Amino acid sequence: MSDYNVVSARNTENAPKNIGPYSQTVAYSHYNNLSAQLPIDPKSGELVAGGVKEQAEQCFRNIKAIVDSIDHVMSDVVKITVFVKNIKDVDAIDEVYKTFFSTYVPTRTVVAVSALPMDALVQIDALVSHGEGTIPNAPQSGDLIKLTNNTTNAPMSALSTQAVAFSHYNNLSAQLPIDPKSGRLVVGGVKEQTGQCLKNIKAILESVDVPFDDIVKINVYLKNFSDVEAVNEVYTTFFPDSAIARAVAYFPARTTVAVSALPMDALVQVEAVVSHGDGTPPQAVEDRHGLILEANNTENAPKNALATQTVAFSHYNHLSAQLPLDPKTGEMVAGGVKEQAGQCLENIKAIIESVDHVMEDVVKVNIFLKNIADIDAVDEVYKTFFPDGVPARSIVGVSALPEGAMIQIDAVVSNAEGTPPIA
């Protein structure tokens, strides 16, 4: 961990005490990464009484308490991810959502998952801008400005902004396979739907004059995991997108999971995290390629032809989700969920070490479990890798994972040295 930029983990008594080894919020550089908030009353430590509306309100209250505790406001939220147990509850959640974001709306992703911790009906994750940065004794000079953008060439929603840029990243709302002209799902199956999702992402990026190959991380949410090969066929027609990217066979880091349902009964939904080389004012305008993407793979972790293990840009590394695969054999490790969790984390550790970082540099961990009841067993292993409980964390139960795995883990890692400009 560098003394130049520091990982700053914080907790407040005004939000629920963590139910695992994690921190409520971990700031690094110009972002605060929050742990997903459950509808827990911080005073009682129990789920609030009532239905999904009451639970959604408590989730947002908890997020607001954390945001307030670090001297920020809800309009500093860049991205919201809503994990809901029943997709039919989204309308009720939206009623509550509007009361917390009455004017500015962040980017947003909504998925229905098979299970949530404590049998909650909803869990909400947030990413928050951090204008002052985390350089010790050297706060950011001048407030950085969030840049919001919507284009009519992609589907628009009153409840989310298509893209919100802050500092050196653009965070996009997850894109459904909606034709922006009709506002309806495109005709056809999963291939047509995947193509439309990626076309919508491309339209958003073109509207802010950013090339498709500036994407750092892709998350693919599938209704049926059996569709993954069809999705990949379409995926490879979009990536790599440029001659430069093709020359090095660049693919973004990627996470793919099966969820129980998606909005509008879609078969697929895709979200993207995008590099933003010129930054947001008052950062000095740089040539878009003045900062470079640093993509890296190591033989010490499993490789995937359609994903890079880690892609660094500016002060963050985004890792592809790691399965419990032995990198030497390419096979699933023997044993149960403990052994699988250990292998996922060993793979993450190998990737991090391959780019000269350490596990203490991790700021956010996302855990996808086939069986939510495995949380306690996973935590036994998790604590051996993160004994201080510093990273923020999200855990959801999903319908299916690649290779029939019981667990899959991805991570966001601080990158103190940043990425260099082209000489």
Side-chain angles (χ1 to χ4, degrees):
M1 189 180 299
S2 169
D3 291 331
Y4 174 69
N5 252 331
V6 294
V7 173
S8 178
R10 286 173 284 185
N11 294 285
T12 173
E13 295 296 325
N14 295 326
K17 184 180 178 182
N18 302 325
I19 60 171
Y22 55 88
S23 299
Q24 289 169 354
T25 179
V26 178
Y28 188 78
S29 186
H30 288 135
Y31 281 94
N32 282 288
N33 300 267
L34 269 62
S35 289
Q37 291 301 299
L38 289 162
I40 298 172
D41 181 328
K43 293 180 180 177
S44 69
E46 303 292 334
L47 291 186
V48 293
V52 71
K53 285 180 81 171
E54 290 78 10
Q55 289 200 11
E57 183 169 5
Q58 189 63 53
C59 290
F60 281 116
R61 283 180 180 171
N62 293 340
I63 288 170
K64 186 175 186 301
I66 295 167
V67 169
D68 289 346
S69 76
I70 55 174
D71 298 322
H72 283 266
V73 292
M74 288 296 277
S75 60
D76 289 334
V77 173
V78 172
K79 179 181 177 182
I80 286 285
T81 303
V82 178
F83 300 105
V84 63
K85 186 72 172 60
N86 187 340
I87 200 70
K88 294 179 181 178
D89 286 339
V90 171
D91 288 345
I93 292 168
D94 285 347
E95 288 184 43
V96 178
Y97 183 85
K98 293 172 188 175
T99 67
F100 285 86
F101 299 103
S102 56
T103 51
Y104 158 78
V105 285
T107 65
R108 194 169 82 149
T109 297
V110 177
V111 295
V113 292
S114 59
L116 291 167
M118 298 181 69
D119 201 27
L121 300 175
V122 61
Q123 178 179 245
I124 302 176
D125 199 347
L127 179 67
V128 182
S129 61
H130 190 58
E132 63 270 27
T134 52
I135 298 174
N137 304 313
Q140 172 76 32
S141 58
D143 293 332
L144 292 175
I145 299 168
K146 287 199 310 295
L147 298 178
T148 61
N149 187 77
N150 289 291
T151 172
T152 56
N153 294 327
M156 298 182 75
S157 168
L159 299 178
S160 63
T161 302
Q162 290 170 354
V164 177
F166 188 78
S167 187
H168 284 131
Y169 277 93
N170 251 313
N171 298 272
L172 271 60
S173 287
Q175 292 301 300
L176 287 163
I178 297 171
D179 180 331
K181 293 181 180 178
S182 69
R184 297 178 181 177
L185 292 186
V186 293
V187 175
V190 72
K191 284 189 178 182
E192 290 77 13
Q193 290 199 13
T194 302
Q196 189 63 52
C197 291
L198 292 167
K199 284 176 185 176
N200 292 341
I201 288 172
K202 193 163 192 177
I204 294 167
L205 295 186
E206 287 175 348
S207 75
V208 291
D209 194 29
V210 172
F212 206 65
D213 283 318
D214 280 359
I215 294 174
V216 173
K217 176 74 189 293
I218 286 280
N219 295 319
V220 179
Y221 300 100
L222 283 171
K223 180 70 173 65
N224 302 303
F225 207 82
S226 58
D227 286 338
V228 70
E229 290 185 10
V231 169
N232 286 341
E233 281 186 48
V234 179
Y235 192 79
T236 54
T237 67
F238 284 82
F239 295 103
D241 185 56
S242 65
I244 294 172
R246 285 191 291 273
V248 295
Y250 172 71
F251 284 90
R254 192 172 85 159
T255 295
T256 303
V257 296
V259 294
S260 59
L262 292 166
M264 298 180 70
D265 202 27
L267 299 175
V268 62
Q269 180 176 244
V270 183
E271 73 175 355
V273 179
V274 184
S275 62
H276 190 63
D278 45 347
T280 53
Q283 288 173 325
V285 175
E286 300 161 339
D287 178 77
R288 172 169 298 124
H289 297 291
L291 290 176
I292 60 172
L293 294 176
E294 291 188 331
N296 188 75
N297 290 291
T298 173
E299 297 294 332
N300 296 325
K303 289 188 174 182
N304 184 317
L306 299 182
T308 302
Q309 290 169 353
T310 179
V311 180
F313 186 77
S314 187
H315 287 132
Y316 277 96
N317 280 291
H318 292 261
L319 270 62
S320 288
Q322 292 302 301
L323 288 163
L325 301 177
D326 182 327
K328 293 180 181 177
T329 65
E331 301 294 327
M332 194 76 64
V333 294
V337 73
K338 283 188 179 181
E339 289 77 13
Q340 290 199 12
Q343 188 63 56
C344 291
L345 291 164
E346 287 289 355
N347 292 341
I348 287 172
K349 187 171 185 283
I351 294 167
I352 289 171
E353 289 177 347
S354 76
V355 291
D356 298 322
H357 283 265
V358 293
M359 292 295 272
E360 288 85 353
D361 291 333
V362 176
V363 294
K364 180 72 187 289
V365 168
N366 298 302
I367 299 177
F368 306 94
L369 279 174
K370 185 70 177 66
N371 185 349
I372 202 73
D374 286 337
I375 288 178
D376 290 343
V378 170
D379 275 348
E380 284 186 47
V381 179
Y382 187 87
K383 290 173 186 175
T384 66
F385 287 84
F386 299 107
D388 297 327
V390 168
R393 194 172 79 167
S394 296
I395 296 182
V396 296
V398 294
S399 303
L401 291 167
E403 309 277 346
M406 298 177 184
I407 184 170
Q408 179 177 250
I409 304 176
D410 75 12
V412 181
V413 184
S414 62
N415 187 37
E417 64 272 26
T419 51
I422 294 173

